[in-house]
Amino acid sequence: MAFFPLHTPNRLVGILAVYRDTPTPFTENDVQSGQTLAHLVTTALQNMQLLAEKHHAVVREKRLNEIARALYGERNLPTVLSTVIRAATELIGAEAGALGLIVDGAIIIHYPYNLPAQTQLHPQPRGRGLAWQVVETAAAIRLDEYTSHPAAEAQWIKLGLHAYLSVPIMSGYVCLGTLSLFHLTAGRQFTNRDQEMAGAIGNQAGIVIQNLRLIEESKQRANALAVSLARQERLDRLKDVFVQNISHELRTPLGIILGHAELMESGILGEMQPAQQDSVKIITRRVNMLTDLVNDLSVLLAAQTQEFRREPIQPHLLMNAMMDDFRLQAEAHEVHLQAEIAPDLPWINGDPTHLRRVFDNLMSNAFKFTPTGGNVTLRVWQEGDEVVFEVSDTGIGMPADQLERIFERFYQVQQKKKKKHPGGTGLGLALVKEIVEAHHGTIHVTSEEDVGSTFEIRLSALRLPVSNGGQ
Ligand code: ADP
């Protein structure tokens, strides 16, 4: 009988025993053959082991990739968490698993997999249990025998927990929770490779969880923004309704005050002293200003809600009406009023009353701010699909740094020379802009102090040919 040890480089893996049923002793040659045979068997064993390991590694790598793909496509956090714990438990071949996430910095919620039904998973206060140790050190804990650890908990011992492996779920340098795996059968243990694999899954899970949290956060921020925008819009609408109601309520008493003031001025109620007449004149002027303000406010709100008529308008008729309206004023101010209106202009679509209001405002301003001897010019021409209207004057002009603001409500330019032009509410140009924009048009101003100002309005030309006499 002869024995030949089967040696791998680090350990003895078996023995080759050779028997002979005749009493012939083994020769030197037999021993050599036995040794060669033992060597061959060892090499074959080693190769088989390597192959099995390689196969195992390939399978694990493939599963890991599958898990990663499944996780990255998922948008729901609880689904991600249960996928992670199921995949990790199955891939590593553990008997059960649990995943804990830190919420509000103090507790861990568990996602159990395959744990006995009687397991009670309470949120764990900071610092208690092995999982918190993993979180705080950001390092894995692996125990071959859980019961012998000083921090072992009664309920887990009762459940029969033997081998324990817990790895941190990391996102960068921050630990988000733990991934824990259990063997409930005595003698089963976790290997280095199991620990590596669990670590890799923990890292992948960390990235996915963090991404989902960021997405959730930005969703919440977007929602909060939408809510506050909706609230702002509601407040704006309430404010508009309020202003509209007030304007409406003011109109009647203002009309009555004006009527009585005019009655007193007419002398029907008896002759007044000159001082009384002056007072009544002031009342009339101020009431007229207030009425203008109230009217402007109403039109502003109407422009915002687009409560306008739409009808075809011939630009040259609109301009002729403006020229007629301002001829007398031009003579009174001793200002030259001129018009340059191109022939064959296309029609435009709009609300004639409000468009007249636009040019009324621009022309009134032009006269108000142009000294005696100056010019006010009205020009209209076509450019592509647009009709361009221009009101220009050779008046006091405006400083460049204030041009941006003149279309704001109640804004009035600080001008040295303006003192002789009191009154005005600062609403006129805001109104002009709202009306033009409600017509889908644009307004632009250029101005130079002591040289003059030019306001340019562009409105779309009507495409379809319109039969004459539509205005
Ligand atoms: P207001 O009721 O004060 O005229 P507007 O909104 O019509 O209000 O105009 C705002 C300010 O823009 C005016 O107060 C005036 O200072 C300036 N402005 C408007 N048009 C002209 C112009 N043609 N020339 C010089 N300044 C002007």
Side-chain angles (χ1 to χ4, degrees):
M1 188 165 180
F3 296 99
F4 300 94
L6 302 177
H7 271 296
T8 64
N10 354 322
R11 62 192 177 112
L12 180 74
V13 291
I15 285 172
L16 173 68
V18 182
Y19 302 89
R20 187 173 268 174
D21 37 17
T22 57
T24 333
F26 288 111
T27 62
E28 194 57 29
N29 257 356
D30 291 337
V31 173
Q32 257 181 19
S33 304
Q35 275 169 347
T36 312
L37 199 62
H39 183 70
L40 280 174
V41 171
T42 319
T43 315
L45 271 176
Q46 258 176 302
N47 283 345
M48 275 167 66
Q49 210 172 338
L50 276 176
L51 253 169
E53 269 172 30
K54 227 176 185 165
H55 176 70
H56 225 69
V58 169
V59 169
R60 282 187 175 201
E61 195 63 34
K62 220 176 116 198
R63 267 304 274 144
L64 211 57
N65 278 339
E66 280 167 17
I67 296 169
R69 266 205 303 276
L71 289 183
Y72 284 111
E74 185 51 59
R75 285 275 166 271
N76 180 287
L77 188 57
T79 314
V80 164
L81 299 180
S82 34
T83 308
V84 169
I85 191 60
R86 196 191 60 235
T89 316
E90 285 174 359
L91 190 60
I92 290 169
E95 290 173 33
L99 192 145
L101 271 198
I102 303 164
V103 178
D104 293 338
I107 50 170
I108 291 183
I109 307 172
H110 289 280
Y111 282 79
Y113 182 68
N114 230 10
L115 277 171
Q118 70 270 31
T119 321
Q120 287 178 357
L121 293 166
H122 301 297
Q124 224 146 346
R126 178 175 285 278
R128 269 222 9 227
L130 282 172
W132 268 110
Q133 211 169 303
V134 173
V135 169
E136 273 158 7
T137 56
I141 294 182
R142 193 169 106 208
L143 304 173
D144 289 342
E145 192 44 67
Y146 176 81
T147 45
S148 56
H149 194 277
E153 287 176 57
Q155 99 140 321
W156 293 101
I157 296 174
K158 231 200 268 157
L159 284 171
L161 174 57
H162 285 285
Y164 174 89
L165 170 63
S166 184
V167 296
I169 295 176
M170 301 296 292
S171 163
Y173 294 109
V174 182
C175 183
L176 305 177
T178 59
L179 168 67
S180 307
L181 300 168
F182 318 114
H183 281 313
L184 305 172
T185 309
R188 293 200 59 184
Q189 283 169 0
F190 292 109
T191 62
N192 281 343
R193 208 170 294 130
D194 293 338
Q195 187 172 331
E196 261 169 40
M197 182 66 64
I201 297 175
N203 286 341
Q204 268 178 3
I207 296 167
V208 177
I209 293 168
Q210 189 62 5
N211 282 347
L212 283 185
R213 281 182 171 174
L214 289 177
I215 290 171
E216 189 53 33
E217 245 172 57
S218 45
K219 250 196 236 158
Q220 276 172 5
R221 239 178 271 141
N223 282 348
L225 205 65
V227 168
S228 89
L229 261 178
R231 192 165 159 266
Q232 190 59 44
E233 275 171 13
R234 211 172 48 242
L235 285 177
D236 269 1
R237 269 200 304 279
L238 275 178
K239 187 200 68 196
D240 287 353
V241 170
F242 176 74
V243 173
Q244 195 119 45
N245 288 345
I246 293 273
S247 314
H248 186 77
E249 292 303 317
L250 279 176
R251 222 173 267 150
T252 315
L254 281 175
I256 294 169
I257 297 171
L258 192 62
H260 280 276
E262 280 169 356
L263 207 62
M264 287 167 82
E265 253 184 299
S266 70
I268 295 173
L269 300 178
E271 272 308 305
M272 288 188 292
Q273 301 292 322
Q276 287 172 319
Q277 277 175 3
D278 287 347
S279 287
V280 172
K281 269 197 192 110
I282 293 172
I283 293 174
T284 313
R285 200 174 63 235
R286 290 292 169 169
V287 170
N288 276 328
M289 273 174 63
L290 259 181
T291 312
D292 284 349
L293 175 68
V294 165
N295 286 339
D296 282 355
L297 273 175
S298 301
V299 179
L300 248 181
L301 295 179
Q304 280 174 344
T305 47
Q306 310 245 332
E307 289 166 15
F308 282 158
R309 283 186 306 169
R310 287 281 181 271
E311 58 185 70
I313 300 168
Q314 282 181 281
H316 79 271
L317 291 185
L318 184 66
M319 292 301 106
N320 287 347
M322 296 316 300
M323 292 298 286
D324 290 345
D325 287 355
F326 280 90
R327 207 157 272 133
L328 276 180
Q329 201 166 334
E331 275 168 27
H333 278 76
E334 294 178 46
V335 167
H336 308 289
L337 173 62
Q338 314 161 60
E340 294 171 18
I341 300 166
D344 302 325
L345 285 170
W347 294 42
I348 54 171
N349 203 16
D351 185 321
T353 316
H354 285 113
L355 285 178
R356 277 182 80 141
R357 206 181 268 271
V358 164
F359 292 105
D360 243 13
N361 266 300
L362 294 181
M363 301 276 280
S364 301
N365 279 346
F367 281 109
K368 199 155 65 172
F369 299 110
T370 303
T372 308
N375 294 315
V376 171
T377 311
L378 198 55
R379 290 190 189 87
V380 191
W381 70 96
Q382 180 178 6
E383 235 179 79
D385 287 348
E386 290 175 328
V387 181
V388 189
F389 301 83
E390 195 183 85
V391 178
S392 64
D393 63 57
T394 56
I396 60 172
M398 291 170 271
D401 61 342
Q402 298 197 35
L403 290 183
E404 278 288 304
R405 302 202 56 193
I406 56 170
F407 297 104
E408 288 173 19
R409 292 181 196 183
F410 302 109
Y411 189 80
Q412 293 186 305
V413 176
Q414 307 302 316
Q415 279 152 325
K416 291 161 254 153
K417 297 185 181 166
K418 206 174 128 181
K419 284 192 199 86
K420 18 176 194 153
H421 310 288
T425 56
L427 269 182
L429 288 178
L431 184 66
V432 164
K433 189 166 192 274
E434 288 285 353
I435 297 176
V436 169
E437 287 177 357
H439 282 78
H440 308 293
T442 56
I443 179 158
H444 181 72
V445 60
T446 48
S447 187
E448 198 178 326
E449 275 187 294
D450 297 326
V451 176
S453 311
T454 300
F455 287 84
E456 183 199 271
I457 288 174
R458 288 172 178 266
L459 297 173
S460 297
L462 254 186
R463 291 232 179 94
L464 298 171
V466 187
S467 63
N468 274 337
Q471 196 163 350

